[in-house]
């Protein structure tokens, strides 16, 4: 399954809302989709799994939604530590695959 | 708190084998039903799942695109697991991450991850 994320880059200010899209080339079974945050030099961080379940420690300003082929990660109010690259991953079909990433940068 | 740390050579020659180790601390690899996996990210590209091994060491799952060259193993003391990738080329240059997997056979999301280690394939 090919995952296409959009936009490639999102330029926003702290306090603004971020909406990241992940579209699958075919339906992701049972919403088996995860979101990760990557920052340079740091371990990647799981944010969301099962399309909408927050991982332990994920702030509630992060929310995931969607089903089938269209999924969204929303950050309700951006904080300074949220500027990073975000990847979606489907694990319903093997092999699991990742999107190409969305960079959220400071405007 | 579970932590993972990758280690191994940062430079490998073409046609040779790449070997990495992931040391697990803060919990035992065999303390619960978990999967232990490897993911990589070539420079400027996205993430690619390489494979996972079940905590018992009895089952493993590999990405078909790498299956003929990959071996993931678990040490008998259950403190680390390893990746071996044979016949490497420049296309195998990447940051390699190890991680714990949740889910089921070959269908995993990953948490936590190690910080990653850059492996460059060059003569």
């Amino acid at each position: 399954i090919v995952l296409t994320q959009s936009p490639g880059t999102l330029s926003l200010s702290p306090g603004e809302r971020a909406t990241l899209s992940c579209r699958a080339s075919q339906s992701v079974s049972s919403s088996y989709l995860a979101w990760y945050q990557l920052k340079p030099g740091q371990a990647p961080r799981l944010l969301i799994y099962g399309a909408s379940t927050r991982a332990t420690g994920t702030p509630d300003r992060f929310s995931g939604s969607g089903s089938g082929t269209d999924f969204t990660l929303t950050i309700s109010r951006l904080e300074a530590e949220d500027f990073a690259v975000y990847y979606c991953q489907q694990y319903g079909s093997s092999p699991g695959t990742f999107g190409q990433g969305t960079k959220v940068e400071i405007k | 708190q579970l932590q993972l740390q990758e280690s191994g050579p940062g430079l490998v020659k073409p046609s040779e084998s790449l070997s990495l180790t992931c040391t697990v601390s803060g919990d035992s690899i065999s303390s619960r039903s978990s999967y232990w996996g490897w993911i990589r990210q070539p420079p400027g590209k996205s993430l690619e799942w390489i494979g996972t091994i079940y905590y018992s060491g009895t089952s493993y799952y590999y990405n078909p695109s790498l299956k003929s060259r990959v071996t993931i193993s678990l040490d008998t003391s259950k403190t680390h697991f390893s990746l071996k990738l044979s016949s490497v080329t420049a296309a195998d240059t990447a940051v390699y991450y190890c991680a714990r997997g949740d889910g089921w056979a070959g269908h995993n999301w990953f948490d936590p991850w190690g910080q990653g280690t850059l492996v460059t394939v060059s003569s």
Side-chain angles (χ1 to χ4, degrees):
Chain A
I1 295 181
V2 176
L3 300 179
T4 302
Q5 292 185 240
S6 62
T9 301
L10 205 48
S11 298
L12 295 168
S13 300
E16 290 194 293
R17 181 184 188 91
T19 303
L20 288 67
S21 173
C22 176
R23 179 162 289 178
S25 59
Q26 53 189 282
S27 184
V28 177
S29 58
S30 302
S31 298
Y32 292 136
L33 189 113
W35 289 93
Y36 300 90
Q37 178 190 69
L38 269 72
K39 295 181 180 180
Q42 295 187 20
R45 176 189 179 188
L46 172 71
L47 297 173
I48 301 282
Y49 64 95
S52 60
T53 302
R54 288 187 200 90
T56 302
T58 300
D60 59 9
R61 63 180 181 274
F62 290 89
S63 62
S65 62
S67 63
T69 59
D70 289 298
F71 297 86
T72 300
L73 176 69
T74 301
I75 311 171
S76 59
R77 290 178 56 85
L78 282 164
E79 297 194 4
E81 63 264 31
D82 300 337
F83 292 93
V85 183
Y86 293 84
Y87 290 88
C88 57
Q89 177 219 1
Q90 70 79 23
Y91 50 92
S93 298
S94 189
T97 50
F98 293 84
Q100 83 279 19
T102 290
K103 182 179 182 179
V104 179
E105 65 176 24
I106 299 176
K107 187 175 181 180
Chain B
Q1 181 182 0
L2 182 65
Q3 292 185 310
L4 294 87
Q5 179 67 57
E6 305 87 352
S7 60
L11 182 65
V12 180
K13 289 183 168 55
S15 81
E16 295 188 345
S17 292
L18 174 164
S19 293
L20 296 175
T21 296
C22 181
T23 300
V24 178
S25 60
D27 200 357
S28 169
I29 283 179
S30 57
S31 65
R32 58 173 164 157
S33 301
S34 292
Y35 295 83
W36 302 93
W38 291 93
I39 303 100
R40 69 180 183 178
Q41 184 172 33
K45 296 187 177 181
S46 186
L47 297 156
E48 179 181 34
W49 170 69
I50 299 171
T52 53
I53 188 167
Y54 194 44
Y55 80 105
S56 62
T58 55
S59 301
Y60 40 84
Y61 312 90
Y62 299 143
N63 192 320
S65 68
L66 299 167
K67 187 175 182 178
S68 63
R69 300 192 292 130
V70 171
T71 303
I72 296 177
S73 59
L74 212 55
D75 85 313
T76 54
S77 66
K78 305 290 178 68
T79 61
H80 64 264
F81 61 104
S82 301
L83 168 71
K84 182 178 179 181
L85 183 65
S86 63
S87 305
V88 298
T89 69
D92 295 310
T93 294
V95 175
Y96 286 76
Y97 297 99
C98 61
R100 189 184 70 84
D102 276 306
W104 68 105
H107 300 260
N108 306 110
W109 67 96
F110 297 98
D111 179 48
W113 297 51
Q115 285 197 311
T117 187
L118 174 63
V119 179
T120 301
V121 179
S122 175
S123 55

